[in-house]
Amino acid sequence: MAYRELDMTISKEALAMQKEAKRFAMEVLRPAGIALDELHNPEDVIAPGSILWDTIRKYREMDLHLSGFPEELGGVGELEPMAGILVNEELAYGDVGLAISLGVSAMPFSLAANMPDPELRELAKAYCEDRRGKLIGCWCMMEPDHGSDWILSAQPGFDDPEKVGVPSVRAEKQGNEYILNGQKAAWVSNGTIATHGVVHLNLDPRLGMRGDGLAIVPLNLPGVTRGKPLNKIGQRPLNQGEIFFDNVRLPEKYMIVSDPSLGTPMKDLTLIGANTGMGILFTGVAQAAFDEAMNYARNRVQGGKPIFDHQSVRIRLFEMYKQVETIRAFSRRVALFNVTNNDPMQGLFPSGAHGMALKVFATETAFKVASEALQIFGGNGLSREYPIEKIFRDARSSMIEDGENNVLSLVGASYL
Ligand SMILES: Cc1cc2nc3c(=O)[nH]c(=O)nc-3n(C[C@H](O)[C@H](O)[C@H](O)COP(=O)(O)OP(=O)(O)OC[C@H]3O[C@@H](n4cnc5c(N)ncnc54)[C@H](O)[C@@H]3O)c2cc1C
């Protein structure tokens, strides 16, 4: 059965974008993701000539990187919210690791687009014009000694350096520059290939984890070095790696949040946005797992008939279908609200409780559906000949990505 869309309010334009995104996801992202996943050495994922670079170029040639950027900088302005949601569901359907890499790549440049400084706006413009993948962004929050710590901002002691310590990456003001020292974790997505990072850093050690600010850091500044690409279980096409800062001199115009009392609210909003996005992406992953299982069940013959005709398989598939449809309804609803209510200057705030509930629920659902799909494949589910074991591994990673799910549940509870 072709997927039956229940939302009768979706515009023709949004449906057309969804169709294009699905084509790109299946013709470009899915095969590239499988090829990159099979590479034993993560260095090969980012080697010159890797299909990763083609993928980035094709994405940019389709202008998919321009959404949200103002037209005067070469962007296409804000997309109709539902169009953005549908496009991201589809990209993740193709390959979620690549979808995340392509999405996070925009972060420093979209921040730059909203700044008054002409040089920063020029940087955003250069990103819009870049169809070759020369400019790549990343989001650097986690550190070797501060993972969950960073996001539990409502926990007692968050502002007490004796209890929780302080972020490792420190920025000290000297004249019209900041001097950066410290290290970001191996988990930074696009960490070893990014040209620019959005970096959360410590401005005032007396305030513990609360004394943070936010900077856009050009990663070609003297003193910036990288670790090796991380080798991991899932989302292997997504490059990740450490970034080190050793007396890096950052001109002050790059410090976007220089008031330590504003760093934590800004970080909390970023976390809600990122995890709302995760809900949409992992709806796409859950759908991909369901479709693989459905297709396999119709074709695999056992006991003289396709396994879909065995009652227990039908019931399991219907249970998966129920879960995917539930998470789709929830993710679209939360995302529509959070995307349209995200302008604190105008008094519009996204819902943190819904954002966290969505991320936890969507990633758990994607993992459960992928696990059940793998079971329906029988022995073939364990084989690398079939795509389901990869989808299963990709979904498993998501329950730790952008905040471990138990910790995000604590964050969500703090909003109740
Ligand atoms: C695929 C992927 C992509 C990622 N991309 C990025 C990225 O682009 N940028 C970035 O900065 N980070 C990124 N991360 C890092 C991710 O956000 C962290 O891995 C996550 O927040 C958990 O931190 P940690 O790994 O240090 O685990 P820890 O914080 O060490 O947690 C380990 C365990 O202890 C538990 N725990 C820890 N503290 C508490 C507490 N106070 N209360 C209760 N339980 C607690 C946790 O629940 C968890 O089970 C990514 C991670 C993954 C897997």
Side-chain angles (χ1 to χ4, degrees):
M1 172 187 113
Y3 177 69
R4 188 167 185 191
E5 178 59 66
L6 293 190
D7 188 340
M8 307 300 288
T9 66
I10 302 177
S11 71
K12 280 201 185 106
E13 294 74 22
L15 289 171
M17 287 186 74
Q18 179 189 34
K19 200 166 160 201
E20 269 300 279
K22 177 66 157 256
R23 194 185 57 71
F24 175 73
M26 293 315 285
E27 289 176 9
V28 179
L29 294 186
R30 181 68 68 86
I34 290 171
L36 293 169
D37 177 73
E38 279 171 3
L39 297 174
H40 181 67
N41 181 352
E43 298 270 4
D44 294 337
V45 170
I46 57 165
S50 162
I51 197 169
L52 174 72
W53 306 112
D54 266 350
T55 308
I56 296 173
R57 281 192 285 272
K58 286 179 179 153
Y59 175 81
R60 304 240 181 135
E61 280 160 11
M62 285 179 69
D63 287 349
L64 283 165
H65 67 303
L66 298 183
S67 62
F69 285 88
E71 287 175 32
E72 67 268 21
L73 297 180
V76 294
E78 289 303 334
L79 282 190
E80 182 192 330
M82 187 51 106
I85 290 169
L86 296 177
V87 165
N88 281 301
E89 260 181 36
E90 297 302 345
L91 297 180
Y93 184 100
D95 188 275
V96 73
L98 288 173
I100 288 168
S101 170
L102 295 166
V104 80
S105 198
M107 271 183 90
F109 311 105
S110 62
L111 201 54
N114 289 308
M115 294 298 133
D117 184 279
E119 254 185 77
L120 289 177
R121 290 175 65 76
E122 273 307 307
L123 177 63
K125 193 165 172 224
Y127 172 78
C128 291
E129 285 167 359
D130 174 23
R131 304 290 189 291
R132 310 302 300 157
K134 288 191 179 136
L135 294 175
I136 293 180
C138 66
W139 174 34
C140 316
M141 184 190 290
M142 301 301 161
E143 300 175 347
D145 291 337
H146 296 288
S148 305
D149 283 12
W150 267 102
I151 52 188
L152 286 163
S153 48
Q155 295 282 90
F158 189 73
D159 49 6
D160 183 348
E162 298 297 315
K163 288 200 175 118
V164 293
V166 295
S168 133
V169 178
R170 172 93 172 95
E172 278 179 279
K173 185 104 194 274
Q174 272 184 22
N176 54 5
E177 291 177 325
Y178 285 87
I179 311 300
L180 312 190
N181 280 292
Q183 178 188 349
K184 289 293 175 185
W187 291 107
V188 172
S189 299
N190 291 343
T192 80
I193 58 172
T195 57
H196 293 77
V198 173
V199 185
H200 298 259
L201 26 71
N202 178 257
L203 293 171
D204 186 347
R206 293 167 304 177
L207 299 175
M209 296 304 290
R210 199 174 289 283
D212 58 330
L214 191 67
I216 296 171
V217 182
L219 296 171
N220 61 357
L221 289 177
V224 176
T225 50
R226 322 293 176 98
K228 282 182 184 302
L230 187 68
N231 205 351
K232 61 214 166 132
I233 179 174
Q235 298 181 31
R236 293 174 60 82
L238 170 67
N239 164 267
Q240 291 182 286
E242 294 149 316
I243 305 182
F244 302 90
F245 302 90
D246 182 10
N247 285 319
V248 174
R249 307 184 83 84
L250 182 74
E252 79 181 321
K253 66 169 178 275
Y254 288 107
M255 188 63 70
I256 305 301
V257 177
S258 58
D259 175 350
S261 72
L262 297 179
T264 297
M266 178 79 175
K267 186 205 64 209
D268 290 347
L269 283 173
T270 310
L271 197 70
I272 298 171
N275 280 312
T276 302
M278 288 286 284
I280 293 296
L281 295 172
F282 283 87
T283 299
V285 173
Q287 180 71 49
F290 172 75
D291 285 352
E292 289 300 326
M294 201 54 199
N295 188 34
Y296 186 82
R298 285 194 193 289
N299 290 302
R300 168 74 174 163
V301 174
Q302 280 296 283
K305 49 189 177 184
I307 60 170
F308 184 72
D309 290 343
H310 293 294
Q311 210 175 36
S312 104
V313 176
R314 280 183 176 228
I315 289 173
R316 282 186 274 159
L317 279 162
F318 193 71
E319 177 60 29
M320 290 156 70
Y321 171 77
K322 251 168 47 188
Q323 289 178 17
V324 178
E325 285 305 295
T326 305
I327 195 61
R328 187 194 320 283
F330 187 44
S331 65
R332 287 187 184 176
R333 189 169 176 83
V334 174
L336 276 178
F337 183 87
N338 279 358
V339 169
T340 37
N341 288 278
N342 194 11
D343 191 351
M345 301 303 276
Q346 305 297 324
L348 296 172
F349 291 92
S351 167
H354 285 93
M356 298 307 133
L358 170 60
K359 190 277 180 166
V360 173
F361 189 26
T363 53
E364 280 172 359
T365 302
F367 180 67
K368 274 190 210 151
V369 172
S371 178
E372 196 59 33
L374 188 148
Q375 199 76 10
I376 285 172
F377 272 72
N380 283 338
L382 305 171
S383 154
R384 301 199 74 177
E385 299 270 310
Y386 293 84
I388 197 61
E389 60 85 32
K390 173 182 178 295
I391 296 175
F392 171 79
R393 287 184 282 112
D394 289 348
R396 183 63 187 85
S397 302
S398 70
M399 294 195 287
I400 297 170
E401 191 167 14
D402 288 3
E404 189 277 326
N405 278 1
N406 290 293
V407 168
L408 290 183
S409 299
L410 287 173
V411 175
S414 71
Y415 288 109
L416 295 182

